[in-house]
Amino acid sequence: MTDTPAASLRTAVVTGASSGIGAATARALAAAGHHVVLTARRKDRIEALADELTAAGRSASAYPLDVTDQTAVDTFARSLDRCDILINNAGGALGLDPVAGADPAEWRQMYETNVLGTLHVTQALLPALTASGDGTVVVLTSTAGRGTYEGGAGYAAAKHGQQVLTETLRLEIVGTPVRVIEVAPGMVRTDEFALNRFKGDAERAAKVYQGVAQPLTAEDVADTIAWAVSRPSHVNIDLLVVRPRAQASNSKVHREP
Ligand code: 8X3
């Protein structure tokens, strides 16, 4: 699905745009008047969303992409005419096993998607973001990138890695016309985050949110991203930690009986 954007439209690339926070962010940025390039592995999903957005008069296109494939990411970057905003959203959690019994393959996969995926896409698009004269990189980390919890070591380690990448990038490119924003959500109830974590075990996934009055929605997080990227160019929102009111920390959650 391709839609040629008007040359004047600022282009926002969203990774992991097939569902959840990525899809909601693509909708929010398209509504804000950007041309949105949706990327994810699931072609059907991003094409359907791009079609939905263009039918609603927005500007959007879809490009199937696995962020762990550096060659594919570089090819994708070369296909773009411009890039003003990059939303590094692709990633996720696998498993909730204690360190003593955790599966190294799951840890490796989480590092590949969350950390190396962000590295690949950011490296590939940084020249275009800089050339735009007013670029923005957003990295979706997690409150698991700023603390940990039992069973969360593999995911927290990956999110800490992604957070360090983000902070280091900001140091390294200061003085260039690109700002670097980290958004760290806490408990967000999406269709797939917990389901993927527990390999499709819906009952286990539902327990994550059990009794929590109002976990955040993907739209809540997308709203904070759209706000952060729409600040005046000289304003860099370094870090936004966003949790539901019922969650005081990673391990302190109020649940109604
Ligand atoms: C999601 C937050 O608490 O499930 O990034 O690790 S948590």
Side-chain angles (χ1 to χ4, degrees):
M1 156 85 227
T2 48
D3 165 44
T4 311
S8 57
L9 278 190
R10 283 165 61 76
T11 291
V13 170
V14 182
T15 70
S18 52
S19 70
I21 293 172
T25 302
R27 284 197 171 92
L29 295 181
H34 300 287
H35 170 69
V36 178
V37 182
L38 304 129
T39 74
R41 284 171 303 179
R42 290 177 294 181
K43 186 170 182 273
D44 55 332
R45 291 260 193 147
I46 52 173
E47 285 187 347
L49 181 49
D51 285 345
E52 176 201 311
L53 292 171
T54 46
R58 317 287 192 214
S59 182
S61 57
Y63 190 108
L65 185 66
D66 176 352
V67 295
T68 66
D69 181 343
Q70 188 178 15
T71 306
V73 169
D74 289 344
T75 303
F76 163 64
R78 283 194 295 274
S79 78
L80 294 174
D81 290 332
R82 63 184 287 176
C83 181
D84 303 272
I85 299 171
L86 164 61
I87 311 291
N88 280 300
N89 165 72
L94 286 174
L96 194 63
D97 296 316
V99 172
D103 179 355
E106 288 184 341
W107 284 45
R108 213 168 278 125
Q109 200 176 329
M110 286 189 280
Y111 194 85
E112 287 274 347
T113 52
N114 292 283
V115 186
L116 297 181
T118 299
L119 177 68
H120 295 155
V121 183
T122 305
Q123 281 182 333
L125 292 182
L126 209 47
L129 288 158
T130 308
S132 78
D134 185 13
T136 299
V137 178
V138 176
V139 183
L140 261 292
T141 60
S142 165
T143 50
R146 306 194 154 264
T148 191
Y149 49 91
E150 293 98 324
Y155 180 58
K159 286 297 183 186
H160 276 73
Q162 198 187 23
Q163 181 263 315
V164 168
L165 180 163
T166 308
E167 223 173 293
T168 308
L169 176 68
R170 192 182 301 116
L171 294 172
E172 290 170 350
I173 66 170
V174 70
T176 72
V178 181
R179 56 188 175 174
V180 182
I181 298 171
E182 178 188 350
V183 178
M187 184 184 280
V188 186
R189 183 175 204 153
T190 61
D191 292 341
E192 296 187 332
F193 176 81
L195 206 58
N196 287 342
R197 179 171 219 164
F198 300 123
K199 300 192 176 72
D201 183 338
E203 205 175 314
R204 205 168 166 208
K207 283 210 176 92
V208 171
Y209 312 102
Q210 201 166 35
V212 181
Q214 269 184 300
L216 296 179
T217 63
E219 287 70 28
D220 291 325
V221 181
D223 188 44
T224 65
I225 294 168
W227 175 80
V229 305
S230 60
R231 295 311 85 210
S233 305
H234 69 287
V235 179
N236 197 122
I237 307 295
D238 280 15
L239 168 66
L240 270 169
V241 177
V242 197
R243 297 182 195 271
R245 190 172 60 191
Q247 184 183 36
S249 78
N250 286 346
S251 49
K252 180 76 178 172
V253 180
H254 178 71
R255 295 178 195 270
E256 302 291 340

